[in-house]
Amino acid sequence: MEKDLTRRSVLQRSAAAGLMAVPAAGLLSACVGAKDEAPKDDNAGTVTATNPLGVKEDAEVEVVIFNGGLGTKYATDVHIPSYKKLFPKANVKFSQTEEISTVLTPRFSSNTPPDMVNNAGSKLMDQGKLVGAGQVADLSDLFEAPSLDIPGKKVKETLVPGTIEQGTYKGKPYVLNYAFTVFGMWYSSKLFKDNGWTAPKTWAEFTTLLDAMKAKGITGYAYAGANASYYQYLVILTTAAKIGGADILKNIDNLQANAWKDPAVLQAAKLWGEIGAKYMDKAHLSLKHTEVQLQQNQYKVGFYPSGSWLENEQAKDTPAGFDYNVAALPAATASDKLPANAIYAAAGEMYFVASKGKNVRGGKEYLRHMLSKEGARKFTELTKVLTVVQGSTEGLTLSPGLASSSKALADAGANNFSFRWDSWYKKMDDECRSATNELMFQGGTADKFVQRMQAVADAVKADSSIEKFER
């Protein structure tokens, strides 16, 4: 969900600290030495019915939010005012950045982190390594606390099933995945209506439609190679799951032997490699996501793979009547194990509390305000993205894209799935971005793709310094 990046300020800050010559991964690994240090708790207050986490009422809490597809107004206009209403004596120190790792890795390495962090974007921190280094607070007490505004309910009882598990590492919840995101192929309802097109259900319908777009001078399918290749590897693995079943993704998560070499993954990579070779614009390899998304808003691109943050991210560039819509990926074969309407949908957009922050309790309390029904409803209103809080869209007028993603989720029913290896193992994520671009833009083969990914998965599995997770 990263925005087009403006690097100058964050690079200057890092350079001023004398850190630019040190790789981010090396900085983060420095955290491990402090793993067993007891976190400070200088800001304990009195536990009451309205203050179940025992926050000190005048203690400052520091919050850092990633400024990307969701923007930051939901923090400044909704969640911070909610926190301040309950704790009027407390200052909420707020900052935003487009490069989370660049700005925050030095602070975690020196054990001076902010209290609550939104870890997202192309330059996010390695979440699995942070957890393994003891830098992330256990959120169990947050989920056991009463909801801020849903009487008689604990926080955990207000959430979409699977939310807590999505942020669980080795049996404990460390991360709140807040935005419930629907992934698929996004298109303009106006473009399709004007041309008499309908979203494809089968692969043959898909390629026929791409041919029709090509004949009209439209790039039928596109993504940005410079920083959005993870959109595309998600698409490849979604197709693999449809072909062979969602357990394929679980096997990859669990680093099972030859999981990437599963025939369904190979077949999915082959199909998408053919799409890249025949229908994509090779110039998009060097473009950022916002540049390709702008081309779609100009009706130069047909399908664009992304999550449901897209509508909000492109709001200022979307012409009237464009009307975003999302299509599930078409069935790859007649014998797919999952139906055509199956989708990748999951709690995402990571928020966590730093265990070595000055106000751990305040960081958790901030998350409690995010998980209030009102906090979630206003988040959706501002971002056009669903949250993990049940019933929080009641009374809202849904935008075209949000209505479309809600319908896609309903149509899929139980046939939605996700994976977690990308947030667990950054080394695999980095390699997959490169391997995907090679496959889609640079004449790579499906065999090469699965071989590269199996090799890096094997290397991660064999590396005793990397914390391992399972689901």
Side-chain angles (χ1 to χ4, degrees):
M1 297 182 205
E2 65 274 14
K3 290 185 76 173
D4 199 1
L5 303 179
T6 302
R7 301 182 177 212
R8 186 176 303 163
S9 62
V10 289
L11 293 180
Q12 286 174 339
R13 289 172 67 180
S14 295
L19 295 165
M20 284 308 298
V22 185
L27 286 167
L28 187 57
S29 66
C31 302
V32 179
K35 179 175 181 178
D36 296 327
E37 292 181 9
K40 299 176 182 178
D41 192 9
D42 299 329
N43 288 306
T46 303
V47 174
T48 66
T50 57
N51 185 14
L53 297 173
V55 177
K56 188 178 180 182
E57 63 179 21
D58 61 350
E60 181 177 84
V61 61
E62 184 181 1
V63 172
V64 179
I65 300 292
F66 169 66
N67 185 14
L70 300 176
T72 61
K73 283 179 69 64
Y74 69 88
T76 58
D77 295 9
V78 180
H79 300 143
I80 291 175
S82 177
Y83 188 97
K84 289 281 291 179
K85 183 178 180 181
L86 190 58
F87 300 98
K89 296 179 182 179
N91 178 51
V92 179
K93 183 179 180 182
F94 168 79
S95 61
Q96 63 185 40
T97 179
E98 294 165 341
E99 297 192 353
I100 288 289
S101 180
T102 304
V103 174
L104 293 186
T105 296
R107 294 189 59 183
F108 277 90
S109 295
S110 62
N111 289 325
T112 57
D115 301 304
M116 200 291 295
V117 177
N118 169 208
N119 188 25
S122 64
K123 293 184 180 293
L124 81 171
M125 293 180 290
D126 187 330
Q127 192 68 54
K129 186 173 286 188
L130 282 169
V131 172
Q135 291 281 351
V136 184
D138 182 348
L139 299 180
S140 295
D141 50 351
L142 164 67
F143 293 125
E144 290 293 337
S147 165
L148 187 72
D149 61 359
I150 304 176
K153 295 281 190 181
K154 294 181 178 181
V155 170
K156 68 179 183 181
E157 296 170 334
T158 69
L159 307 179
V160 173
T163 298
I164 294 175
E165 289 74 13
Q166 193 75 14
T168 294
Y169 294 71
K170 293 206 166 183
K172 291 184 179 181
Y174 287 103
V175 178
L176 167 62
N177 291 276
Y178 184 64
F180 198 84
T181 305
V182 174
F183 291 84
M185 300 191 304
W186 291 81
Y187 63 94
S188 164
S189 293
K190 173 178 169 52
L191 178 66
F192 273 50
K193 183 178 180 181
D194 289 351
N195 288 280
W197 296 333
T198 57
K201 302 294 185 184
T202 68
W203 204 263
E205 291 174 356
F206 182 38
T207 55
T208 297
L209 180 53
L210 294 180
D211 284 331
M213 291 178 177
K214 190 174 184 178
K216 286 184 172 287
I218 298 170
T219 300
Y221 185 86
Y223 78 90
N227 66 348
S229 49
Y230 69 95
Y231 297 178
Q232 182 58 31
Y233 76 56
L234 188 149
V235 166
I236 294 169
L237 290 181
T238 295
T239 295
K242 286 193 173 189
I243 295 171
D247 279 351
I248 286 171
L249 306 183
K250 186 176 181 180
N251 294 341
I252 289 174
D253 281 347
N254 293 342
L255 302 176
Q256 289 197 6
N258 293 319
W260 283 95
K261 292 183 177 180
D262 189 286
V265 179
L266 181 64
Q267 186 174 7
K270 182 176 184 296
L271 288 170
W272 282 107
E274 291 169 352
I275 297 298
K278 187 172 181 181
Y279 299 107
M280 288 177 57
D281 184 344
K282 300 301 184 286
H284 290 166
L285 173 62
S286 62
L287 297 187
K288 294 184 173 69
H289 66 299
T290 48
E291 294 172 310
V292 179
Q293 289 164 192
L294 179 60
Q295 289 186 22
Q296 186 179 40
N297 293 147
Q298 296 168 341
Y299 301 104
K300 297 175 182 178
V301 166
F303 287 114
Y304 182 80
S306 187
S308 43
W309 65 79
L310 178 64
E311 184 180 39
N312 183 66
E313 186 170 57
Q314 291 302 109
K316 67 180 179 62
D317 294 314
T318 305
F322 181 90
D323 290 353
Y324 273 107
N325 212 317
V326 65
L329 300 184
T333 72
S335 57
D336 283 2
K337 289 190 176 180
L338 294 180
N341 60 8
I343 57 172
Y344 186 107
E349 193 74 6
M350 298 183 289
Y351 298 78
F352 71 91
V353 175
S355 62
K356 296 176 175 61
K358 292 181 179 179
N359 190 359
V360 174
R361 294 168 187 262
K364 293 180 182 181
E365 177 67 20
Y366 186 91
L367 294 181
R368 194 168 76 102
H369 288 254
M370 290 180 63
L371 292 170
S372 67
K373 192 171 184 179
E374 182 70 0
R377 184 183 71 80
K378 289 185 175 179
F379 173 91
T380 296
E381 197 169 29
L382 285 171
T383 66
K384 301 179 178 65
V385 172
L386 300 170
T387 74
V388 295
V389 180
Q390 298 184 68
S392 57
T393 59
E394 293 171 3
L396 284 182
T397 300
L398 304 185
S399 61
L402 180 55
S404 175
S405 58
S406 298
K407 183 179 185 301
L409 189 60
D411 289 346
N415 292 306
N416 66 79
F417 48 83
S418 62
F419 52 72
R420 299 186 60 193
W421 60 268
D422 56 331
S423 61
W424 286 349
Y425 309 116
K426 192 172 186 302
K427 185 175 181 179
M428 286 174 62
D429 176 55
D430 290 342
E431 181 71 3
C432 201
R433 291 174 187 236
S434 176
T436 298
N437 277 347
E438 181 183 43
L439 174 69
M440 300 300 293
F441 286 112
Q442 298 169 311
T445 66
D447 283 328
K448 179 72 176 298
F449 176 83
V450 299
Q451 288 168 8
R452 283 185 67 173
M453 290 313 302
Q454 191 58 58
V456 71
D458 290 343
V460 167
K461 187 175 183 178
D463 189 340
S464 60
S465 71
I466 298 175
E467 191 92 5
K468 307 302 191 300
F469 306 101
E470 291 186 4
R471 69 176 177 101

